[in-house]
Amino acid sequence: MAQAGRRPGQTETREEILEAARRRFAEQGYDGATVRAIAADAGVNAALLHHFFGTKQQLFAASMNLPVDPGELVPRILEGPEAEIGERLVRAFLGLWEAPDGRAPFLAMIRSATTNEQVATMMRQFLERAVLARVAEARGVPKVRVAGIAAQMIGFALLRYVIGLPPLVNASEEEIVGMLAPVAQYYLTPGTEKVRLPMHQEGGLARHWSETTG
Amino acid sequence: MAQAGRRPGQTETREEILEAARRRFAEQGYDGATVRAIAADAGVNAALLHHFFGTKQQLFAASMNLPVDPGELVPRILEGPEAEIGERLVRAFLGLWEAPDGRAPFLAMIRSATTNEQVATMMRQFLERAVLARVAEARGVPKVRVAGIAAQMIGFALLRYVIGLPPLVNASEEEIVGMLAPVAQYYLTPGTEKVRLPMHQEGGLARHWSETTG
């Protein structure tokens, strides 16, 4: 299966499947589009589509030209010492954006999502299924907390890579990790959602963190 | 000055100034466009322009249809108890977005900034002059820290109001304040930039916070 070889027409078939996927995802959203319908549109059977692209989520990542499938990235972030999960998340995210071929597809996705309701729907459903639900369950935190760190990272990418805000553009990778990792750690640590404001009352967040991260 | 009255032609003059401002800001950026040049384009003198719109920053806010001038908002966030600055920032930001006429202009600005290099330049320069520099100086933190909380809030607005991510859409204002205020407090508290990872070493962020917000 790994060595499928290159028969004539295989590249075209792949391209036709990706075309059909882009069309279906745009028209019906990530949830509404089925692998079966995409295969039928491309004139192939579902088994062949699966052979080429794997799961629906992997097909989506390929059709959007994402350089990485979140299905692979998320477990890499979750595995490892608890106290360093924030740092792993920020480093993985930076790795994607700083890679030469990594930036363009994400930029395209943010641009389309802010100008096109269909793309926004796709992105919303994909983020929820492929990222929020999975990370929330693995970490034992509410989905809204995972959305909080997603917001931090997407806003950071927008200001550093799209708007080009000088203090963020000029910051080194290590400075960025030092600044963002504690925020990621906060969102992904169970118990921090019970913090009450103002923060200094009864030790506030400081106390919760020292209790939960020891 | 507050009671300037409404002479015939005043509305047109205001509109011509705003038109000229939008054109100059788009062509030359926020820094490059001068109030004098905008006044000349609109066929008025600089004193009349100032009478109508105040400072360059206020003129920019008016020309972008922003419902609020950051020059007024920023001091309101900075004034008050230290330990509640994060909460004040999040509440002020939510107040803008939740207001019926507040959302559309910001959405338009995010959309244009991600698709148009000129708008990105304007937004970058305006954010730096009107927000980052001022807040950084008032709080005694590096500008990159203010950029960090700006990224969090812009990403939050993108996911809640543009993409419509369900866990953020369904969260109440109080839940959002409870979640984001500690992050704002972290960015705007001097000393937290010295936190070293992993966080649990020597008390990490928890210790720094208890020392600084005590």
Side-chain angles (χ1 to χ4, degrees):
Chain A
M1 193 126 147
Q3 300 290 326
R6 290 231 151 230
R7 296 185 304 277
Q10 184 171 313
T11 310
E12 280 162 41
T13 305
R14 287 179 62 95
E15 213 25 75
E16 275 164 28
I17 293 171
L18 291 175
E19 270 296 308
R22 277 189 282 268
R23 213 165 37 233
R24 282 271 170 188
F25 284 132
E27 281 169 13
Q28 304 185 281
Y30 180 75
D31 291 348
T34 67
V35 169
R36 186 168 300 273
I38 292 167
D41 288 353
V44 303
N45 62 45
L48 184 68
L49 188 153
H50 182 78
H51 169 71
F52 278 152
F53 294 104
T55 63
K56 179 176 174 179
Q57 184 181 300
Q58 289 170 313
L59 174 62
F60 181 82
S63 75
M64 293 291 117
N65 287 313
L66 299 186
V68 71
D69 165 27
E72 291 168 30
L73 194 66
V74 166
R76 270 181 13 226
I77 294 169
L78 292 173
E79 276 163 30
E82 286 265 312
E84 290 163 22
I85 188 171
E87 182 173 352
R88 283 196 302 278
L89 182 145
V90 176
R91 289 198 190 279
F93 189 88
L94 275 175
L96 284 183
W97 279 89
E98 299 289 334
D101 57 346
R103 209 174 293 188
F106 283 106
L107 278 183
M109 207 159 161
I110 288 187
R111 287 199 174 109
S112 331
T114 56
T115 49
N116 181 324
E117 178 54 37
Q118 288 178 330
V119 179
T121 301
M122 262 185 347
M123 193 168 156
R124 172 171 67 239
Q125 296 176 342
F126 181 69
L127 256 179
E128 228 195 335
R129 298 278 173 283
V131 183
L132 297 199
R134 192 169 311 180
V135 176
E137 200 196 333
R139 295 295 304 163
V141 299
K143 280 201 276 184
V144 70
R145 311 280 303 175
V146 187
I149 184 58
Q152 170 72 86
M153 299 314 295
I154 288 172
F156 164 77
L158 193 68
L159 291 185
R160 176 164 158 119
Y161 302 110
V162 184
I163 306 290
L165 203 61
L168 289 179
V169 172
N170 300 333
S172 70
E173 253 186 76
E174 289 311 305
E175 285 174 301
I176 289 166
V177 171
M179 184 169 91
L180 296 182
V183 177
Q185 191 76 28
Y186 158 67
Y187 281 120
L188 299 180
T189 300
T192 51
E193 72 273 18
K194 298 193 197 85
V195 171
R196 282 287 163 271
L197 299 170
M199 285 212 335
H200 63 307
Q201 270 183 3
E202 301 169 21
L205 196 53
R207 193 184 55 125
H208 276 281
W209 263 351
S210 57
E211 280 171 7
T212 48
T213 64
Chain B
M1 192 129 145
Q3 301 291 326
R6 292 228 152 232
R7 297 185 303 279
Q10 184 171 311
T11 309
E12 281 161 42
T13 306
R14 287 179 61 96
E15 212 28 71
E16 276 164 26
I17 294 171
L18 291 176
E19 271 295 307
R22 276 189 283 266
R23 212 164 37 233
R24 282 272 170 188
F25 285 131
E27 282 168 13
Q28 305 185 282
Y30 180 76
D31 290 349
T34 67
V35 169
R36 185 168 300 273
I38 292 167
D41 289 352
V44 303
N45 63 45
L48 184 68
L49 187 153
H50 182 78
H51 169 70
F52 279 150
F53 294 104
T55 63
K56 179 177 175 180
Q57 184 179 302
Q58 289 170 312
L59 174 62
F60 181 82
S63 75
M64 293 291 118
N65 286 312
L66 300 185
V68 71
D69 165 28
E72 290 169 31
L73 194 66
V74 167
R76 273 185 4 230
I77 293 169
L78 293 173
E79 276 164 31
E82 287 265 312
E84 289 163 23
I85 188 171
E87 181 172 354
R88 283 197 301 279
L89 182 145
V90 177
R91 288 196 190 281
F93 189 89
L94 276 176
L96 284 183
W97 279 89
E98 300 289 334
D101 56 346
R103 208 174 293 189
F106 282 106
L107 278 183
M109 207 159 162
I110 288 187
R111 287 198 173 110
S112 332
T114 56
T115 49
N116 182 323
E117 179 53 37
Q118 288 178 331
V119 179
T121 301
M122 265 189 341
M123 192 167 156
R124 172 170 67 240
Q125 295 176 343
F126 181 69
L127 256 178
E128 227 194 337
R129 298 279 171 284
V131 182
L132 298 198
R134 191 169 312 177
V135 176
E137 200 196 331
R139 295 296 303 164
V141 298
K143 280 201 276 185
V144 69
R145 311 280 303 175
V146 188
I149 184 59
Q152 170 73 85
M153 300 313 295
I154 289 173
F156 164 77
L158 194 68
L159 291 185
R160 177 166 158 116
Y161 301 111
V162 184
I163 307 290
L165 203 61
L168 289 178
V169 172
N170 299 333
S172 71
E173 254 186 77
E174 289 312 305
E175 285 174 303
I176 290 166
V177 171
M179 184 169 91
L180 295 182
V183 177
Q185 191 76 28
Y186 158 68
Y187 281 119
L188 299 179
T189 300
T192 51
E193 72 272 18
K194 298 194 198 83
V195 171
R196 284 286 164 273
L197 298 171
M199 285 213 335
H200 63 307
Q201 271 183 4
E202 302 169 20
L205 196 54
R207 193 185 55 124
H208 276 281
W209 263 351
S210 58
E211 279 171 6
T212 47
T213 63

PDB file of all heavy atoms in Angstrom, chain A residues 111-123:
ATOM      1  N   ARG A 111      -7.310  34.398   4.928  1.00  0.00           N
ATOM      2  CA  ARG A 111      -7.890  35.409   4.027  1.00  0.00           C
ATOM      3  C   ARG A 111      -9.266  34.993   3.549  1.00  0.00           C
ATOM      4  O   ARG A 111     -10.205  35.771   3.587  1.00  0.00           O
ATOM      5  CB  ARG A 111      -6.965  35.616   2.818  1.00  0.00           C
ATOM      6  CG  ARG A 111      -5.717  36.369   3.156  1.00  0.00           C
ATOM      7  CD  ARG A 111      -5.058  36.973   1.911  1.00  0.00           C
ATOM      8  NE  ARG A 111      -3.945  37.804   2.328  1.00  0.00           N
ATOM      9  CZ  ARG A 111      -2.653  37.497   2.147  1.00  0.00           C
ATOM     10  NH1 ARG A 111      -2.312  36.385   1.519  1.00  0.00           N
ATOM     11  NH2 ARG A 111      -1.712  38.308   2.570  1.00  0.00           N
ATOM     12  N   SER A 112      -9.388  33.745   3.080  1.00  0.00           N
ATOM     13  CA  SER A 112     -10.697  33.330   2.569  1.00  0.00           C
ATOM     14  C   SER A 112     -11.719  33.261   3.684  1.00  0.00           C
ATOM     15  O   SER A 112     -12.883  33.616   3.479  1.00  0.00           O
ATOM     16  CB  SER A 112     -10.636  31.957   1.908  1.00  0.00           C
ATOM     17  OG  SER A 112      -9.401  31.689   1.369  1.00  0.00           O
ATOM     18  N   ALA A 113     -11.285  32.806   4.868  1.00  0.00           N
ATOM     19  CA  ALA A 113     -12.251  32.652   5.953  1.00  0.00           C
ATOM     20  C   ALA A 113     -12.840  33.996   6.376  1.00  0.00           C
ATOM     21  O   ALA A 113     -13.983  34.067   6.823  1.00  0.00           O
ATOM     22  CB  ALA A 113     -11.612  31.963   7.146  1.00  0.00           C
ATOM     23  N   THR A 114     -12.065  35.071   6.229  1.00  0.00           N
ATOM     24  CA  THR A 114     -12.575  36.373   6.657  1.00  0.00           C
ATOM     25  C   THR A 114     -13.392  37.048   5.561  1.00  0.00           C
ATOM     26  O   THR A 114     -13.999  38.080   5.802  1.00  0.00           O
ATOM     27  CB  THR A 114     -11.437  37.325   7.085  1.00  0.00           C
ATOM     28  OG1 THR A 114     -10.512  37.457   6.005  1.00  0.00           O
ATOM     29  CG2 THR A 114     -10.719  36.805   8.314  1.00  0.00           C
ATOM     30  N   THR A 115     -13.382  36.497   4.357  1.00  0.00           N
ATOM     31  CA  THR A 115     -14.108  37.156   3.272  1.00  0.00           C
ATOM     32  C   THR A 115     -15.180  36.263   2.674  1.00  0.00           C
ATOM     33  O   THR A 115     -15.991  36.720   1.879  1.00  0.00           O
ATOM     34  CB  THR A 115     -13.139  37.566   2.139  1.00  0.00           C
ATOM     35  OG1 THR A 115     -12.311  36.450   1.818  1.00  0.00           O
ATOM     36  CG2 THR A 115     -12.264  38.728   2.564  1.00  0.00           C
ATOM     37  N   ASN A 116     -15.211  34.986   3.048  1.00  0.00           N
ATOM     38  CA  ASN A 116     -16.107  34.044   2.384  1.00  0.00           C
ATOM     39  C   ASN A 116     -16.787  33.168   3.430  1.00  0.00           C
ATOM     40  O   ASN A 116     -16.122  32.428   4.164  1.00  0.00           O
ATOM     41  CB  ASN A 116     -15.264  33.199   1.409  1.00  0.00           C
ATOM     42  CG  ASN A 116     -16.091  32.196   0.643  1.00  0.00           C
ATOM     43  OD1 ASN A 116     -17.035  31.622   1.161  1.00  0.00           O
ATOM     44  ND2 ASN A 116     -15.723  31.986  -0.596  1.00  0.00           N
ATOM     45  N   GLU A 117     -18.096  33.261   3.496  1.00  0.00           N
ATOM     46  CA  GLU A 117     -18.870  32.567   4.528  1.00  0.00           C
ATOM     47  C   GLU A 117     -18.707  31.047   4.424  1.00  0.00           C
ATOM     48  O   GLU A 117     -18.625  30.351   5.440  1.00  0.00           O
ATOM     49  CB  GLU A 117     -20.341  32.968   4.431  1.00  0.00           C
ATOM     50  CG  GLU A 117     -21.279  32.276   5.413  1.00  0.00           C
ATOM     51  CD  GLU A 117     -20.822  32.420   6.866  1.00  0.00           C
ATOM     52  OE1 GLU A 117     -20.303  33.500   7.248  1.00  0.00           O
ATOM     53  OE2 GLU A 117     -20.977  31.448   7.621  1.00  0.00           O
ATOM     54  N   GLN A 118     -18.614  30.524   3.194  1.00  0.00           N
ATOM     55  CA  GLN A 118     -18.467  29.079   3.022  1.00  0.00           C
ATOM     56  C   GLN A 118     -17.153  28.583   3.613  1.00  0.00           C
ATOM     57  O   GLN A 118     -17.111  27.545   4.273  1.00  0.00           O
ATOM     58  CB  GLN A 118     -18.505  28.718   1.529  1.00  0.00           C
ATOM     59  CG  GLN A 118     -19.889  28.843   0.916  1.00  0.00           C
ATOM     60  CD  GLN A 118     -19.862  28.524  -0.564  1.00  0.00           C
ATOM     61  OE1 GLN A 118     -18.841  28.752  -1.237  1.00  0.00           O
ATOM     62  NE2 GLN A 118     -20.959  28.025  -1.084  1.00  0.00           N
ATOM     63  N   VAL A 119     -16.087  29.324   3.361  1.00  0.00           N
ATOM     64  CA  VAL A 119     -14.789  28.931   3.904  1.00  0.00           C
ATOM     65  C   VAL A 119     -14.809  29.037   5.430  1.00  0.00           C
ATOM     66  O   VAL A 119     -14.256  28.192   6.131  1.00  0.00           O
ATOM     67  CB  VAL A 119     -13.655  29.784   3.309  1.00  0.00           C
ATOM     68  CG1 VAL A 119     -12.311  29.381   3.905  1.00  0.00           C
ATOM     69  CG2 VAL A 119     -13.618  29.648   1.802  1.00  0.00           C
ATOM     70  N   ALA A 120     -15.479  30.089   5.940  1.00  0.00           N
ATOM     71  CA  ALA A 120     -15.587  30.238   7.391  1.00  0.00           C
ATOM     72  C   ALA A 120     -16.279  29.020   7.999  1.00  0.00           C
ATOM     73  O   ALA A 120     -15.856  28.508   9.039  1.00  0.00           O
ATOM     74  CB  ALA A 120     -16.334  31.522   7.743  1.00  0.00           C
ATOM     75  N   THR A 121     -17.334  28.545   7.347  1.00  0.00           N
ATOM     76  CA  THR A 121     -18.065  27.366   7.846  1.00  0.00           C
ATOM     77  C   THR A 121     -17.169  26.129   7.844  1.00  0.00           C
ATOM     78  O   THR A 121     -17.100  25.392   8.831  1.00  0.00           O
ATOM     79  CB  THR A 121     -19.307  27.099   6.970  1.00  0.00           C
ATOM     80  OG1 THR A 121     -20.142  28.249   7.013  1.00  0.00           O
ATOM     81  CG2 THR A 121     -20.087  25.894   7.471  1.00  0.00           C
ATOM     82  N   MET A 122     -16.469  25.916   6.736  1.00  0.00           N
ATOM     83  CA  MET A 122     -15.531  24.799   6.642  1.00  0.00           C
ATOM     84  C   MET A 122     -14.509  24.839   7.754  1.00  0.00           C
ATOM     85  O   MET A 122     -14.240  23.852   8.423  1.00  0.00           O
ATOM     86  CB  MET A 122     -14.744  24.906   5.329  1.00  0.00           C
ATOM     87  CG  MET A 122     -15.276  24.067   4.227  1.00  0.00           C
ATOM     88  SD  MET A 122     -14.220  24.123   2.752  1.00  0.00           S
ATOM     89  CE  MET A 122     -13.084  25.447   2.962  1.00  0.00           C
ATOM     90  N   MET A 123     -13.906  26.026   7.925  1.00  0.00           N
ATOM     91  CA  MET A 123     -12.828  26.174   8.894  1.00  0.00           C
ATOM     92  C   MET A 123     -13.355  25.939  10.310  1.00  0.00           C
ATOM     93  O   MET A 123     -12.702  25.301  11.122  1.00  0.00           O
ATOM     94  CB  MET A 123     -12.238  27.573   8.761  1.00  0.00           C
ATOM     95  CG  MET A 123     -10.926  27.748   9.494  1.00  0.00           C
ATOM     96  SD  MET A 123     -10.123  29.302   9.006  1.00  0.00           S
ATOM     97  CE  MET A 123      -9.099  29.592  10.452  1.00  0.00           C
TER      98      MET A 123
END
